Amino acid sequence: MARSLYEWLWQHEFWLPPGITWEDMQESEDTHYPQPRHLLLSIPFALILVVIRCAFERAIALPLSTKLGVRDKQRPKAQPNPVLETFYSTRRKNPKEGELLSLAKQCDLPVRKVEKWFRRRRNMDRPCLSKKFSEACWRFTFYIISFFTGLTVLYDKPWLWDHRECWTGYPQQPLQPSLFWYYMLELSFYWSLVFTLPFDVKRKDFKEQIVHHAATIFLISFSYCANYIRIGTLVMVIHDASDCFLEPTKIFNYMKWKKTCDGLFMIFSAVFLISRLVIYPYTVLYNTYYYSMEIFQPFFGYYFVNVLLIILQLLHVFWSCLIIHMVYKFILQGTMEKDMRSDTEESDKDEERDKIREKEKNGIMCFCNVTSNGYIQRNGPEPLDNRAHLANGHAKER
């Protein structure tokens, strides 16, 4: 069964253009082609990147956040409550009104205190500012290294300047060592993001991020197996270009450097919109859809790689809408709006109202005590204006 599935999966009709078989892709001493087994190396490389990231965040990013004045907000902790904790971990983190009433009865607590408990418990699970700062520092470091690695690898390659060169001699295009290691670097990084996904900062576009990582891994892997190396390198370097500006924008936002953050955000917006909505469709989508047809007829791999590239473009459109909305707000308000993808911390507004009510109540009680005692006391027993107030309301000079 497994052998039949293996043979079906690796039919040359799926991966190679008509007229080309796997025998035509055999390696020699001087010529090397991408081999699917090479992709297995990305898993241990990804684990190495995870270890490097942990060491980087602990030894570099966290001390740097302290020196730059990034402070974590002190959050009030939720009191231990087995009933509420069980509901929180097994049912839902934000209970509905009927569930709040039921939980309040079980715990013999006011509904408002149950709401406060869940609010504080949700805040406890939200990442602190230093964690966000460390994650942004790690990604910024990687994207800078990856982007300039891509430029170094591609600057002397003909397909960077003439996109038709992506298909010259396809699929019998030899794999150069620099392209192999560039591919391993990118693929290992996205695998490492998948491994750390449960522990990374979760934003409102969490589901879109999962789709993005999955599509990216499938796209890189498929392009490697089908020897779409040249078009794949263009996709990767285009994506890294805007990410190099996104992460420092987050860093300066966490540092409260508003003007620097706003300036970098506008640069990032321009680079993102131009690279993802202009350069990417022309350089990649038009290239794979139209120019490739000058070399070979459509086959399964042609349709599959175009579907993956279109999924990435749809995600580009989704994020572009968020960015354009933030730029619009920036133009109107003169300052950058908070990241719409971020999961903002909930404040204890009800708790603050309770404190205000309690102060007002104490003030009224104090006033009542003052009036009933017949005099107003200030800073000790000394009466106001050196007058003693009698019970009948008349004042007598001392």
Side-chain angles (χ1 to χ4, degrees):
M1 180 68 180
R3 182 176 180 81
S4 300
L5 180 62
Y6 179 85
E7 292 177 352
W8 174 83
L9 178 63
W10 293 105
Q11 295 181 71
H12 60 82
E13 292 86 359
F14 290 167
W15 301 88
L16 302 174
I20 303 294
T21 65
W22 291 116
E23 285 73 19
D24 299 320
M25 302 293 294
Q26 293 296 324
E27 295 185 319
S28 64
E29 293 183 1
D30 300 327
T31 305
H32 298 279
Y33 296 113
Q35 300 296 324
R37 64 178 181 272
H38 296 164
L39 298 177
L40 297 176
L41 293 174
S42 64
I43 303 299
F45 289 161
L47 296 176
I48 293 174
L49 281 179
V50 172
V51 174
I52 294 174
R53 172 182 174 175
C54 293
F56 174 86
E57 292 184 354
R58 184 182 295 270
I60 298 177
L62 281 177
L64 183 62
S65 68
T66 303
K67 290 184 179 181
L68 294 177
V70 178
R71 298 287 183 267
D72 293 331
K73 182 179 179 181
Q74 294 295 327
R75 299 168 177 170
K77 296 183 178 180
Q79 296 296 324
N81 190 307
V83 175
L84 299 181
E85 185 66 37
T86 301
F87 185 93
Y88 181 88
S89 58
T90 60
R91 297 284 299 278
R92 69 177 82 231
K93 297 182 179 181
N94 197 354
K96 298 179 181 179
E97 185 176 354
E99 294 170 333
L100 286 172
L101 293 173
S102 176
L103 290 170
K105 290 181 181 179
Q106 294 180 42
C107 301
D108 194 22
L109 292 173
V111 176
R112 182 169 295 172
K113 286 192 175 182
V114 176
E115 290 178 334
K116 183 195 299 184
W117 188 94
F118 277 96
R119 183 168 56 249
R120 290 184 171 183
R121 185 65 181 84
R122 289 191 295 269
N123 284 338
M124 288 172 61
D125 283 348
R126 289 186 171 89
C128 56
L129 202 60
S130 59
K131 177 177 175 59
K132 294 180 179 180
F133 180 90
S134 300
E135 181 180 313
C137 283
W138 164 250
R139 297 196 181 198
F140 171 64
T141 303
F142 176 84
Y143 287 134
I144 284 291
I145 294 173
S146 178
F147 178 66
F148 283 101
T149 299
L151 291 182
T152 303
V153 169
L154 295 177
Y155 83 97
D156 61 344
K157 302 298 186 294
W159 63 86
L160 180 63
W161 314 106
D162 184 2
H163 305 321
R164 281 186 169 88
E165 288 294 326
C166 288
W167 311 109
T168 301
Y170 179 84
Q172 295 169 307
Q173 297 171 337
L175 176 63
Q176 301 175 19
S178 59
L179 298 178
F180 168 78
W181 289 111
Y182 181 44
Y183 247 73
M184 286 298 107
L185 177 67
E186 290 280 352
L187 183 58
S188 301
F189 175 70
Y190 282 102
W191 271 121
S192 72
L193 291 183
V194 172
F195 295 157
T196 60
L197 202 58
F199 313 104
D200 287 342
V201 176
K202 292 182 176 59
R203 293 181 167 85
K204 294 179 181 179
D205 63 345
F206 179 72
K207 295 180 180 179
E208 289 79 6
Q209 286 284 354
I210 295 177
V211 175
H212 174 269
H213 295 340
T216 302
I217 290 173
F218 277 119
L219 182 59
I220 294 176
S221 301
F222 181 82
S223 65
Y224 187 85
C225 293
N227 205 11
Y228 284 110
I229 298 292
R230 296 185 179 184
I231 199 69
T233 53
L234 295 179
V235 173
M236 293 186 293
V237 78
I238 289 172
H239 279 70
D240 289 341
S242 59
D243 291 333
C244 291
F245 293 97
L246 173 61
E247 301 306 327
T249 302
K250 296 179 184 178
I251 291 172
F252 284 108
N253 182 41
Y254 302 145
M255 292 168 54
K256 310 298 183 184
W257 291 23
K258 292 296 296 179
K259 292 185 178 180
T260 306
C261 175
D262 292 346
L264 280 174
F265 172 72
M266 297 304 292
I267 295 174
F268 158 74
S269 301
V271 174
F272 185 94
L273 295 176
I274 293 173
S275 62
R276 306 291 179 94
L277 299 184
V278 179
I279 297 178
Y280 177 83
Y282 172 72
T283 304
V284 177
L285 293 181
Y286 186 75
N287 193 359
T288 56
Y289 180 79
Y290 180 74
Y291 288 155
S292 61
M293 292 297 95
E294 298 178 356
I295 307 298
F296 53 79
Q297 295 299 314
F299 64 106
F300 176 81
Y302 165 82
Y303 295 112
F304 188 69
V305 74
N306 275 283
V307 167
L308 291 177
L309 292 171
I310 290 173
I311 290 175
L312 282 182
Q313 182 60 21
L314 293 177
L315 291 171
H316 296 164
V317 173
F318 170 79
W319 285 314
S320 296
C321 292
L322 296 181
I323 292 172
I324 291 172
H325 180 77
M326 294 178 70
V327 171
Y328 176 74
K329 290 289 186 181
F330 176 83
I331 294 174
L332 290 182
Q333 299 175 2
T335 184
M336 190 184 74
E337 192 184 42
K338 64 179 180 65
D339 190 351
M340 296 175 64
R341 303 176 305 144
S342 298
D343 189 13
T344 56
E345 185 171 331
E346 300 173 84
S347 61
D348 283 336
K349 293 182 179 179
D350 291 338
E351 182 179 2
E352 294 171 1
R353 294 193 197 99
D354 291 342
K355 289 181 179 179
I356 293 174
R357 290 196 188 99
E358 186 175 351
K359 288 181 180 179
E360 291 176 350
K361 183 178 179 181
N362 292 337
I364 293 173
M365 290 178 64
C366 181
F367 178 76
C368 293
N369 291 335
V370 167
T371 54
S372 62
N373 290 335
Y375 67 91
I376 302 176
Q377 194 171 8
R378 285 189 180 182
N379 298 328
E382 186 66 24
L384 183 64
D385 294 337
N386 288 328
R387 296 187 179 193
H389 291 258
L390 304 180
N392 59 5
H394 295 283
K396 179 180 178 181
E397 295 286 347
R398 287 183 180 269

